[in-house]
Amino acid sequence: MRYAYGVTSALLLAGSALALVTGNPAGAQVAQNDAREMAQVVPRAGAPASFADLTAQLQPAVVNISTRQRIKVQAQGNPFAGTPFEGLFGNQQGGGGGGGTREAQSLGSGFIVSPDGYVVTNNHVITADGQGEIETITVTTPDGTDYPAKLIGRDAASDLAVLKISAPRQLPFVRFGDSRQARVGDWVIAIGNPFGLGGTVTSGIISSVYRNTGSGGAYDRYLQTDAAINRGNSGGPMFDMKGNVIGINNAIFSPTGGSVGIGFAIPAEIAGPIVEKLRSGQAIERGYLGVQIQPLSDDLAASLGLPKNRGEFIQSVVPGQSAARAGLQAGDVVVKVDGKDVTPDQTLSFIVANEAPGARIPIELLRDGKRQTVTATVGKRPSEEELAASNFGTDDGDADQFGTTKPAPSQQGLVEKAAGVAVTELTPTIARQLGFPEGTGGLVISAVDDSSDAAAKGLRRGDVILSANNRPVRSGADLEAAIKAARGGSRDAVLLRVQRRGQPAIYIPVRLR
């Protein structure tokens, strides 16, 4: 289970609900259901008097999923290495080798989508967030029968997996609905295995459609609900009042680890096509541009003089990938892709991931305040493992070798008062001392006011400012001019391009005082 707090994404390790778009208005069914009986169960309007009849028809198709896995653990050095006692206690775990493994278990939820035993769940339920090697998967039906399950296919990017069980009879199953018809305020019920308590039913409403949690990725687009969802619900279904699976319970927002009424489900319109491909053994290919992006937050929008939440900002471009070949640059703001507006509900990652590799798409962007359009040939998105391995732009965790960030009184000049930093020219000698390549130009931060927005954004002594508002800075006067220009344009922030030793340069908007 992911916990999202701040943006702590809470995978309900043990559960995620999915909805498959079939276009079948009959809704959810059990193999032996009669359509007329279903019509009698579904309330026509208003709050239902009871969910009991609907639950009785749906619950037989919701299953518990348990796994046994081997998890790799980091090697631990032998505390007796190099002493006469080195081999006394046998081979210490990982001692002198490549590490060991430990056994792990996971519990989650899933649901049967065909009478011959295909089961849908979350990928993280069966893979321990990608760290485990599966030994066994067991599916337990509501009547207590255990079935060994075979993994048919999984997809880490969408967090979906399909299993197959074999039974001597046809199994109860549910159908997938069309989550595009979901509206805020619609009643929903969730059935799953929270905390190992199988067959648990909760109810609520849809709180938001297409909620972006800020966790990033190609599928950060969820149905939000206040139906109670907890650890163990992952992979379980979210039903509408017609008995359709319209979402797969996947994550919660929680400061405590328990349900606080903010849960997220993968919409059926996203999950359905992926599940069908996994069932049929087809490869899942997604579009990819090769950019590191950032939402247009309040401060970033203020530094650019643009309205917020319209478009996304390019922090960096991966050399040799589609975006670089199309001419996209760091500092560009992408506002439209293939005719679709880029918004918090429809992110650039989501739009591009749903484009076919090889497709040529127009990309509308803003560069230096001017609108222009480029055409890109969509590439093939690498696997999540490959993306994680090549991730950049994160803090390397090194301690601040320059000590305190509080500026000395003698350094509090015009620049410090405006942006909260004191700077000095980056000479070749200082560049060598800081470990920057020869020829790097800019201003090195000599102090940061710890009460400033610059400090809150993580700037620290030793960082190098390469540009301000997309103009190179070589002196304090250059930075002062950029700040004056921003204020003259009624901007509340200045956009700095900053580089830290050993890391790529990134853009950081700093609010002015």
Side-chain angles (χ1 to χ4, degrees):
M1 172 170 193
R2 291 179 188 146
Y3 293 98
Y5 181 52
V7 166
T8 315
S9 183
L11 277 185
L12 311 168
L13 219 202
S16 264
L18 133 80
L20 176 69
V21 180
T22 64
N24 189 332
Q29 294 181 352
V30 175
Q32 59 268 35
N33 280 349
D34 182 275
R36 289 172 298 179
E37 292 177 358
M38 176 66 72
Q40 294 172 1
V41 174
V42 178
R44 292 185 178 276
S50 172
F51 297 108
D53 290 336
L54 185 59
T55 298
Q57 287 192 334
L58 300 173
Q59 200 165 27
V62 181
V63 299
N64 297 342
I65 297 173
S66 60
T67 71
R68 288 186 179 275
Q69 308 170 29
R70 299 302 301 180
I71 306 294
K72 291 182 179 180
V73 296
Q74 293 183 346
Q76 296 179 0
N78 187 340
F80 301 102
T83 75
F85 307 103
E86 181 172 359
L88 185 61
F89 300 99
N91 184 25
Q92 298 291 315
Q93 183 183 38
T101 62
R102 63 175 175 84
E103 186 175 275
Q105 298 179 348
S106 67
L107 291 173
S109 305
F111 51 99
I112 304 170
V113 294
S114 66
D116 57 347
Y118 282 96
V119 177
V120 174
T121 187
N122 278 152
N123 178 61
H124 76 263
V125 169
I126 61 168
T127 58
D129 285 330
Q131 302 300 313
E133 180 179 336
I134 301 171
E135 291 188 332
T136 63
I137 304 174
T138 302
V139 170
T140 305
T141 54
D143 63 5
T145 305
D146 291 337
Y147 295 96
K150 177 183 178 182
L151 176 61
I152 300 301
R154 65 185 185 90
D155 179 50
S158 60
D159 196 20
L160 296 170
V162 175
L163 311 175
K164 177 69 168 62
I165 60 175
S166 297
R169 56 183 174 81
Q170 286 196 329
L171 294 166
F173 68 97
V174 289
R175 296 191 186 277
F176 304 91
D178 188 350
S179 59
R180 292 171 296 186
Q181 304 303 315
R183 301 171 60 203
V184 173
D186 282 349
W187 280 101
V188 292
I189 61 173
I191 306 177
N193 181 35
F195 303 111
L197 301 173
T200 297
V201 183
T202 57
S203 67
I205 62 170
I206 292 178
S207 306
S208 177
V209 295
Y210 303 143
R211 172 70 73 196
N212 186 314
T213 66
S215 60
Y219 294 103
D220 186 17
R221 198 182 197 209
Y222 298 95
L223 296 177
Q224 181 181 327
T225 180
D226 67 349
I229 296 173
N230 287 286
R231 184 183 295 272
N233 275 114
S234 278
M238 175 192 288
F239 293 104
D240 63 14
M241 291 297 97
K242 294 180 180 179
N244 294 312
V245 181
I246 61 166
I248 300 178
N249 299 320
N250 180 259
I252 63 174
F253 183 98
S254 174
T256 64
S259 175
V260 293
I262 303 178
F264 303 104
I266 303 170
E269 65 183 273
I270 291 176
I274 295 172
V275 167
E276 284 302 301
K277 287 184 177 181
L278 292 175
R279 283 182 61 175
S280 61
Q282 297 181 48
I284 298 177
E285 295 185 346
R286 299 181 176 85
Y288 181 70
L289 286 181
V291 291
Q292 186 186 35
I293 55 178
Q294 178 179 344
L296 215 57
S297 63
D298 290 354
D299 289 351
L300 191 52
S303 70
L304 295 168
L306 298 174
K308 67 175 182 177
N309 294 332
R310 287 293 180 270
E312 288 186 314
F313 184 83
I314 296 180
Q315 280 283 4
S316 59
V317 178
V318 180
Q321 293 293 335
S322 301
R325 292 195 295 268
L328 289 168
Q329 299 176 8
D332 289 344
V333 176
V334 178
V335 295
K336 188 174 290 189
V337 177
D338 198 19
K340 306 176 183 71
D341 290 330
V342 177
T343 67
D345 292 339
Q346 187 170 249
T347 64
L348 186 149
S349 292
F350 178 81
I351 296 172
V352 174
N354 286 280
E355 296 283 352
R360 288 178 58 80
I361 57 173
I363 298 175
E364 195 170 317
L365 58 90
L366 294 171
R367 181 179 296 166
D368 294 331
K370 298 179 181 178
R371 191 176 293 260
Q372 57 183 280
T373 301
V374 300
T375 301
T377 300
V378 179
K380 181 181 176 181
R381 184 180 176 88
S383 69
E384 297 305 296
E385 292 79 7
E386 291 171 330
L387 288 173
S390 62
N391 188 36
F392 50 86
T394 56
D395 193 339
D396 59 10
D398 288 342
D400 182 1
Q401 60 179 316
F402 298 95
T404 179
T405 60
K406 189 173 181 179
S410 61
Q411 295 174 314
Q412 297 193 14
L414 174 63
V415 173
E416 187 277 325
K417 290 179 180 178
V421 296
V423 297
T424 188
E425 181 183 350
L426 183 66
T427 65
T429 300
I430 295 176
R432 283 195 303 271
Q433 292 174 345
L434 296 178
F436 285 93
E438 185 178 353
T440 303
L443 300 173
V444 61
I445 296 177
S446 57
V448 180
D449 184 347
D450 55 10
S451 66
S452 67
D453 186 54
K457 296 289 174 59
L459 292 181
R460 67 190 190 192
R461 192 177 181 188
D463 290 343
V464 172
I465 301 174
L466 303 175
S467 69
N469 290 340
N470 293 316
R471 297 289 183 269
V473 289
R474 296 293 184 269
S475 67
D478 291 341
L479 184 55
E480 290 176 18
I483 291 171
K484 288 181 180 179
R487 282 181 164 159
S490 299
R491 300 184 187 181
D492 297 326
V494 62
L495 185 64
L496 304 180
R497 191 164 190 243
V498 181
Q499 187 167 15
R500 181 166 293 168
R501 179 178 179 175
Q503 299 181 24
I506 62 172
Y507 287 90
I508 300 177
V510 174
R511 193 160 289 277
L512 300 175
R513 303 189 291 188

